[in-house]
Amino acid sequence: MRGSDSGPEPDTADGRGVDQEFLALERELAVFLRRARATSGEMAREVHPELEPAAYGLLVRLEEAGRQRATELAAYFGVGKATMSRQLHSLEKLGLVAREPDPADGRAWLVHLTAEGLDRFRGVRDARRESYVRRLAGWDQAEVAELARLLHQLNSHAES
């Protein structure tokens, strides 16, 4: 116990005020992220054998949000313009995305999925969804919805 007027000492793992819940969160996120990276690599190769694992997320975003400027994509993912430019160039070279002039600003370009990119992406995404359905077959749909809500909340806070 601390001083008598400060109440009981918080439950900590290391005596430095770190809550057990946050240590558990860090541990579980580390495992989750490691597995997610491996899965993204597999999925990227299924879309195209030469696709970089990090670029798979770009396909997800473009399918969800539609045409985007490279700067919007870079901001969304929290990466630099050079990184985004390199990844988009690679996707364009593979025929998965294309650029077109932005009608609102002739100096800017909008990036979008090509028909081939969309077909390849949706095939892999649908297979992944089936995998989730199998893995979470024992879960109640409300639990799946709650997990999705909490992950969305976590991602939304990361954006701001």
Side-chain angles (χ1 to χ4, degrees), residues 41-138:
E42 293 168 12
M43 292 176 55
R45 285 186 295 280
E46 288 179 36
V47 171
H48 192 285
E50 297 175 40
L51 184 64
E52 296 177 34
Y56 182 81
L58 288 170
L59 302 179
V60 173
R61 181 64 181 167
L62 288 169
E63 198 272 342
E64 177 184 89
R67 288 167 163 71
Q68 299 267 295
R69 288 184 180 184
T71 53
E72 293 171 316
L73 290 166
Y76 179 80
F77 287 106
V79 299
K81 292 177 189 177
T83 299
M84 184 56 56
S85 178
R86 183 183 56 75
Q87 289 179 344
L88 289 172
H89 179 72
S90 174
L91 288 169
E92 192 172 17
K93 213 167 95 172
L94 296 174
L96 302 174
V97 302
R99 295 183 308 152
E100 65 185 41
D102 184 346
D105 181 354
R107 300 167 298 170
W109 294 88
L110 294 174
V111 181
H112 63 91
L113 289 170
T114 62
E116 179 183 357
L118 187 59
D119 286 346
R120 286 175 175 248
F121 167 74
R122 285 183 175 165
V124 172
R125 183 202 55 202
D126 292 347
R128 184 179 218 187
R129 185 180 303 127
E130 287 303 315
S131 172
Y132 288 149
V133 168
R134 284 190 307 277
R135 288 180 185 172
L136 302 176

